[in-house]
Amino acid sequence: MQKAIKYVIFKTKWGYFGLGGTEYALCRTQLPGAKHEKIKSLLLKNLPAAQFDKNFCRPLQEQITAYFEGACIDFSNIPVALGGSSSFFNSVLNACRDIGFGRTISYSGLAEKTGRHAAARAVGSALAKNPMPLIIPCHRIICSDGKIGGFSAIGGRDLKAKLLKHEQTSRIICKSS
């Protein structure tokens, strides 16, 4: 029996955010943008048969909304479906999920976590194909020299820098609460 794929686009403080998946696991996210139709188009590019459901992943919608309002949210417990990807790709994304809110690690550091010490470039390539940014926090992976590195999501490196600054600021606030 095929699982029904659902999606939702909802408003956050940073713009419209998209989620797609089944009742069992998330399979796609789209980081926030100003135009609802653009977010929908990007999200559904890989989910052509998805059905809109405004209540899809309602608790996660609330967590994401809170994240963009400055709450320290841990998304590592959200069930995800990585599909038919390679074992290396899956190991990179799973290791990335362990990088905590407001923290960063280098591409080479993440490569070491996967057991592939010399695979920093391959890690970067895998992260560029991350189907669930934010839930799988690829924005937390930076260069060994502290530079921001690449970011393939809409908004590119500027959005990555904004996400990192947001988490650093929120983390300070969360620690002092």
Side-chain angles (χ1 to χ4, degrees), residues 18-145:
L19 297 172
T22 69
E23 65 182 289
Y24 305 106
L26 197 62
C27 64
R28 185 90 171 105
T29 65
Q30 185 59 52
L31 291 173
K35 297 188 178 183
H36 182 280
E37 285 305 312
K38 178 70 172 172
I39 298 304
K40 180 180 175 182
S41 170
L42 291 167
L43 182 72
L44 295 182
K45 180 178 173 186
N46 296 312
L47 298 173
Q51 303 262 318
F52 177 78
D53 179 351
K54 72 178 183 176
N55 293 314
F56 177 65
C57 289
R58 177 64 75 185
L60 180 56
Q61 289 182 51
E62 292 167 3
Q63 287 180 305
I64 291 169
T65 299
Y67 170 91
F68 287 110
E69 291 173 357
C72 299
I73 305 291
D74 175 11
F75 296 111
S76 64
N77 63 342
I78 304 300
V80 299
L82 296 175
S85 304
S86 72
S87 62
F88 176 72
F89 178 82
N90 289 347
S91 70
V92 168
L93 295 187
N94 284 322
C96 185
R97 292 192 83 188
D98 292 337
I99 310 307
F101 183 95
R103 302 194 181 283
T104 59
I105 189 173
S106 68
Y107 291 98
S108 59
L110 192 60
E112 285 182 30
K113 285 176 77 69
T114 67
R116 305 265 310 263
H117 304 284
R121 285 187 185 266
V123 162
S125 294
L127 293 174
K129 297 174 185 148
N130 177 7
M132 290 169 270
L134 190 62
I135 305 307
I136 299 175
C138 56
H139 63 280
R140 297 177 185 155
I141 316 307
I142 61 172
C143 298
S144 295
D145 62 5

Side-chain angles (χ1 to χ4, degrees), residues 126-177:
L127 293 174
K129 297 174 185 148
N130 177 7
M132 290 169 270
L134 190 62
I135 305 307
I136 299 175
C138 56
H139 63 280
R140 297 177 185 155
I141 316 307
I142 61 172
C143 298
S144 295
D145 62 5
K147 291 183 181 167
I148 199 160
F151 199 56
S152 61
I154 298 286
R157 294 166 48 137
D158 290 342
L159 179 59
K160 183 175 182 175
K162 186 177 177 181
L163 287 165
L164 290 171
K165 183 177 180 183
H166 171 71
E167 287 190 7
Q168 288 299 318
T169 303
S170 297
R171 188 165 179 243
I172 292 167
I173 293 166
C174 292
K175 276 185 157 183
S176 65
S177 304

